[in-house]
Amino acid sequence: MSANTATTILIGGEWREALSRSTFPVTNPATAAVIGWASDGGADDTAAAIAAADGAFDAWAGTTAHQRSGILAQANLIMRGRQKELAALMTSEQGKPLKASLNEVGYAADFLAWFAEEAKRIGGVTIPSARADQRFITMRQPVGVVAAITPWNYPISMLTRKLAPALAAGCTSVLKPAALTPLCAVATLEVLVEAGVPAGVLNMVTTSRAAAVGDTLVESPVVRKLTFTGSTAVGKKLAAKATESLKRVSVELGGHAPFIVFPDADPVRAAKGAALVKFLNTGQACISPNRIYVHRSHYDTFVTTLTERVKALKVGAGETPGVSIGPLIDERAVTKMESQVLDALEKGARVTVGGERVEVEGLEGKTFFAPTVLADVTPEMQIYYEETFGPIAAVMPYDDEEEVIAKANDSEYGLAAYVYTNDLSTAIRVTEKLRYGMVGVNDINPTSASAPFGGVKASGLGREGGYEGIDEYLDTKLVGIAV
Ligand code: NAD
């Protein structure tokens, strides 16, 4: 594909070039090859997209829940029908192994299916009044135009996690996807348009100039809600600007998940679980364990088992069978891995496997980093507080429960936490004390379209998915009726 055949932006039902007519390249991180070009939208395109969403709002909000549900259900079928094609695109654009891409497309479609059902359950309540001549009812109505800003690490499911509930609620939207994965965003919107989403209801501005588009979205008084997934630094900035015009805000941000192995747990099973969840998406996941605390009685067994499992992980291009570690998204990510490893080694940690950048024969991509286990990590090290977002498992011993809970909570973040124990009361007691939005108990994947996803503290505001997911897109209107 050349710059002349770049993908387009979507405004008011029309797929068109950005007004500037400029484009930007999209690169496969494994091969370093340019695989496409995307339209480089700007503030002017964004203003047009907001106007289109505003213009389409009344009619869309006026459709029946069953009509909106039908379109989402159809989108679910179309997306599942394209699972292989979308997964192949995702692997070439983002780098994750093909199997993980297939899983992600399924997860993305789950949000379409889930919110197709939830659309039909938007109801209000009746409330008894203190006055005999009065009745109260509540209506739940769409908040208005939504601005959705999404990251590159889950380039399809993070879109449907926002757009599906917005559509179900009767909101219209403007999407700004990450500059590193615009092709997945275009393919996702094509699915929704084909399913019957009317002109203007969904608009999308791809861009390499995130701040110009983002600022236009958050500063517009017409936009009534910001939904953002990405880093804490950017999310905080955008949320602050969005609240100047008192928009509804939900932000899903960074994480620094503790993973705790108690003395009554099976250390081999826990190490196998850690090896699976830590290296998912090459560690580029917000729920990735960042501090693995293992009771001293199990420490050696755990480190040995984890090291053996990690040695068996194959690094390469996501399309290659058997590969479970793809490239990191860019050079900056590799530099961060190198800096965290170097800092940890200087302060007394041990690398038991990996620890450095690797080259993969036949591939031009330079952002492969060996899956790594760092043992004997301490709070003095960068990796102990800073989100890694890459394939490094940081492990350390602990001695007692109170100490490990305090350490686990000693983080600005509060997204996911993991607990391995075979004692029911330990599981409940510890889960209650962990200041995190999600806890996996002997479970490495506490996520599903039907369950609320989100964090506390610097990990964000609001919940996506589950029963709560649609609430972010609805206002409650009280009606008092004199009878
Ligand atoms: P990022 O914050 O750099 O980018 C996220 C989005 O914001 C992208 O679309 C980007 O283009 C846009 N953006 C960047 N600067 C902007 C600006 N000044 N104005 C407007 N928009 C701007 O994050 P990323 O590197 O794409 O994603 C990685 C981060 O996302 C990690 O911290 C990860 O933990 C987090 N994340 C969180 C969740 C969650 O659900 N909590 C899920 C996935 C990723």
Side-chain angles (χ1 to χ4, degrees):
M1 192 193 250
S2 75
N4 296 331
T5 51
T7 59
T8 47
I9 60 178
L10 175 64
I11 294 178
E14 190 195 342
W15 291 96
R16 66 158 173 82
E17 284 181 74
L19 291 169
S20 67
R21 310 196 65 181
S22 53
T23 57
F24 62 97
V26 184
T27 305
N28 177 329
T31 62
V34 171
I35 55 165
W37 294 78
S39 269
D40 203 0
D44 43 6
D45 299 297
T46 311
I50 295 169
D54 192 33
F57 178 72
D58 283 341
W60 182 245
T63 55
T64 66
H66 284 72
Q67 285 169 321
R68 299 195 297 276
S69 170
I71 292 173
L72 284 166
Q74 182 61 19
N76 168 45
L77 294 179
I78 297 173
M79 186 169 275
R80 285 184 203 280
R82 279 185 206 159
Q83 189 161 9
K84 283 192 182 149
E85 169 190 337
L86 290 169
L89 174 66
M90 189 186 299
T91 292
S92 67
E93 188 178 35
Q94 194 269 347
K96 70 181 65 177
L98 201 51
K99 192 168 160 224
S101 295
L102 284 165
N103 286 342
E104 183 182 339
V105 178
Y107 181 49
D110 287 348
F111 287 106
L112 299 170
W114 173 260
F115 286 109
E117 295 306 311
E118 288 303 285
K120 294 181 283 188
R121 304 198 178 98
I122 302 169
V125 293
T126 62
I127 301 164
S129 167
R131 269 172 42 200
D133 67 344
Q134 186 183 47
R135 305 291 180 269
F136 284 127
I137 61 168
T138 62
M139 295 176 179
R140 291 166 80 220
Q141 297 189 305
V143 296
V145 175
V146 171
I149 300 182
T150 52
W152 50 266
N153 64 336
Y154 286 90
I156 296 188
S157 59
M158 293 302 97
L159 276 55
T160 56
R161 198 162 81 171
K162 299 178 185 310
L163 299 178
L167 286 165
C171 295
T172 56
S173 307
V174 179
L175 168 71
K176 190 216 85 58
L180 293 159
T181 52
L183 306 184
C184 279
V186 169
T188 303
L189 264 71
E190 281 171 354
V191 168
L192 288 158
V193 169
E194 206 175 307
V197 173
V201 170
L202 276 182
N203 306 274
M204 178 187 57
V205 182
T206 51
T207 186
S208 68
R209 293 166 287 157
V213 172
D215 286 350
T216 308
L217 288 170
V218 290
E219 284 165 10
S220 164
V222 173
V223 172
R224 296 315 311 148
K225 158 140 187 105
L226 168 69
T227 171
F228 172 90
T229 297
S231 62
T232 296
V234 174
K236 268 187 186 169
K237 240 190 277 173
L238 291 176
K241 282 189 190 165
T243 48
E244 276 170 29
S245 50
L246 296 178
K247 296 186 203 325
R248 295 275 294 272
V249 170
S250 47
V251 286
E252 298 286 354
L253 308 175
H256 205 278
F259 183 111
I260 311 172
V261 183
F262 282 94
D264 57 76
D266 171 355
V268 172
R269 179 162 179 255
K272 288 180 181 171
L276 280 171
V277 63
K278 175 65 232 182
F279 299 98
L280 262 186
N281 207 11
T282 313
Q284 301 169 116
C286 49
I287 62 166
S288 192
N290 228 109
R291 285 163 291 145
I292 303 176
Y293 300 101
V294 183
H295 190 265
R296 202 173 296 277
S297 60
H298 287 326
Y299 189 63
D300 292 341
T301 312
F302 183 96
V303 171
T304 307
T305 310
L306 180 62
T307 303
E308 289 309 313
R309 305 292 287 196
V310 172
K311 273 184 188 155
L313 299 176
K314 190 168 157 190
V315 181
E319 292 85 358
T320 309
V323 160
S324 48
I325 302 290
L328 288 171
I329 194 68
D330 58 16
E331 180 58 29
R332 206 165 48 128
V334 182
T335 311
K336 190 177 189 186
M337 297 310 108
E338 289 173 337
S339 144
Q340 288 196 350
V341 169
L342 185 67
D343 169 79
L345 289 178
E346 278 173 5
K347 293 172 181 161
R350 284 181 292 136
V351 166
T352 66
V353 54
E356 58 196 7
R357 184 197 295 261
V358 287
E359 300 240 337
V360 179
E361 211 186 312
L363 293 175
E364 290 300 313
K366 298 285 175 252
T367 58
F368 293 97
F369 195 85
T372 298
V373 176
L374 263 184
D376 307 345
V377 166
T378 64
E380 289 69 40
M381 301 170 188
Q382 243 175 48
I383 198 165
Y384 194 90
Y385 290 107
E386 186 182 86
E387 191 179 27
T388 296
F389 229 59
I392 306 176
V395 193
M396 61 215 90
Y398 77 92
D399 293 298
D400 76 76
E401 182 178 313
E402 219 173 292
E403 167 209 348
V404 79
I405 292 170
K407 283 182 164 167
N409 285 334
D410 180 22
S411 168
E412 64 168 317
Y413 296 109
L415 192 59
Y418 303 86
V419 174
Y420 270 74
T421 175
N422 283 317
D423 183 285
L424 183 60
S425 51
T426 303
I428 293 176
R429 196 172 56 245
V430 174
T431 297
E432 283 176 355
K433 288 185 182 158
L434 287 170
R435 295 194 201 117
Y436 287 81
M438 297 174 283
V439 181
V441 178
N442 302 322
D443 182 44
I444 55 165
N445 189 15
T447 65
S448 158
S450 53
F453 186 106
V456 298
K457 302 186 344 193
S459 291
L461 294 171
R463 292 294 179 269
E464 292 191 315
Y467 302 125
E468 289 95 329
I470 201 164
D471 292 343
E472 305 285 344
Y473 300 87
L474 292 166
D475 282 326
T476 297
K477 181 178 283 174
L478 173 71
V479 189
I481 307 162
V483 294

